[in-house]
Amino acid sequence: MKPRNRILKHVRVRAGELVPHELNPRVHSSAQRRALQQLYDEIGFARSLLAYPLADGRLKLIDGHLRASMDPDQEVDVEVLDVNDAEARALLMAIDPLAQMAGYASDTLEKLRAVAEADSAAVKSLWQLIEESSARTKQALDRAKTESPEQFFVLVECDDEEAQRGLLERLEAEGWKCQAKLS
C-alpha cells in the first residue's frame, strides 16, 4: 500500500509568524546556532521548515524551530502538511530519531568529509565542533567510570501499581533508596 501524500503546499512566510510547537523537545546549543549561521553565511537558506495549519490560519511548526528562530524577519520556505494535532505530535516525536537511526558508510563519509571540508569552512568548523563535543563526552564518561562507585540494584516485578506503591513505601520506610519504574 502506498503512503498518503500529506503535503498540502509550499509557502513563503516571515519566520516570526510561525507558531513554535509547545511540545518540541529539541534544545539547541549556542555552538549549533553558530554552526547553522556559518552555513547560512556561506551557502544560504537551503531547507524548508515543516508545519501544519491551525484553525485560525497560522502555521504551527513540526520541524525547523532553530531555523525559524535565527531571524524572525527572514522569509522562509515552509512545507505545509495536512495533519491533525495528534499526527503532528507523532511527526515531532519521530522525524529526528528516525534520521538518527541511519548509519554511515565510513569510507564514503570520510571521502565526502575530505572534499566538503576543503570546499567549505562552515562544514570544517562544524566537524571540529562535533569532534570536540565527542571528546568532551568521552572524557566525561571515562571520569564517571573511574569516579563513580559501583552500584547494585534489585528489580522486583509487581502485579500492579498498588503493589508497586506499597512495596516502595515499605522499602523507603526501611531506609532503602528506591525508585518506581514502569516498562
Side-chain angles (χ1 to χ4, degrees):
M1 183 170 125
K2 292 183 179 180
R4 296 179 295 168
N5 183 347
R6 303 301 294 275
I7 301 168
L8 283 174
K9 59 186 173 181
H10 291 85
V11 297
R12 287 185 60 81
V13 299
R14 194 178 72 76
E17 294 174 9
L18 297 166
V19 178
H21 201 291
E22 68 279 2
L23 294 177
N24 176 33
R26 304 292 283 180
V27 293
H28 303 287
S29 68
S30 57
Q32 184 183 16
R33 183 176 288 276
R34 283 191 311 274
L36 179 58
Q37 186 61 56
Q38 287 176 333
L39 283 170
Y40 276 4
D41 293 344
E42 187 175 298
I43 297 169
F45 186 85
R47 184 165 179 233
S48 61
L49 286 66
L50 193 61
Y52 67 106
L54 296 173
D56 63 8
R58 295 179 302 156
L59 296 175
K60 190 171 194 175
L61 281 171
I62 298 171
D63 186 50
H65 292 78
L66 175 60
R67 287 172 278 147
S69 72
M70 295 295 285
D71 179 359
D73 292 323
Q74 176 185 359
E75 278 204 354
V76 294
D77 288 290
V78 179
E79 189 170 353
V80 182
L81 301 183
D82 176 24
V83 295
N84 61 35
D85 289 331
E87 292 167 325
R89 287 189 298 269
L91 289 171
L92 183 66
M93 189 69 190
I95 289 172
D96 288 337
L98 187 60
Q100 290 171 347
M101 289 173 66
Y104 291 98
S106 58
D107 57 331
T108 305
L109 177 62
E110 286 306 313
K111 289 175 188 173
L112 173 61
R113 183 176 171 188
V115 173
E117 284 185 356
D119 295 339
S120 170
V123 169
K124 185 172 185 166
S125 176
L126 173 63
W127 277 89
Q128 287 172 339
L129 287 171
I130 291 169
E131 287 176 344
E132 291 167 9
S133 176
S134 294
R136 284 192 302 274
T137 300
K138 184 181 180 324
Q139 289 172 347
L141 288 172
D142 289 345
R143 266 194 318 277
K145 285 178 188 175
T146 59
E147 295 173 3
S148 297
E150 288 183 325
Q151 294 180 315
F152 301 92
F153 299 92
V154 173
L155 178 65
V156 179
E157 187 173 323
C158 299
D159 291 331
D160 55 32
E161 187 178 359
E162 185 179 327
Q164 181 189 42
R165 194 175 13 250
L167 181 58
L168 185 66
E169 289 171 0
R170 190 182 95 210
L171 291 171
E172 285 176 336
E174 293 178 18
W176 295 98
K177 293 195 300 188
C178 304
Q179 293 181 32
K181 300 287 184 184
L182 175 67
S183 70

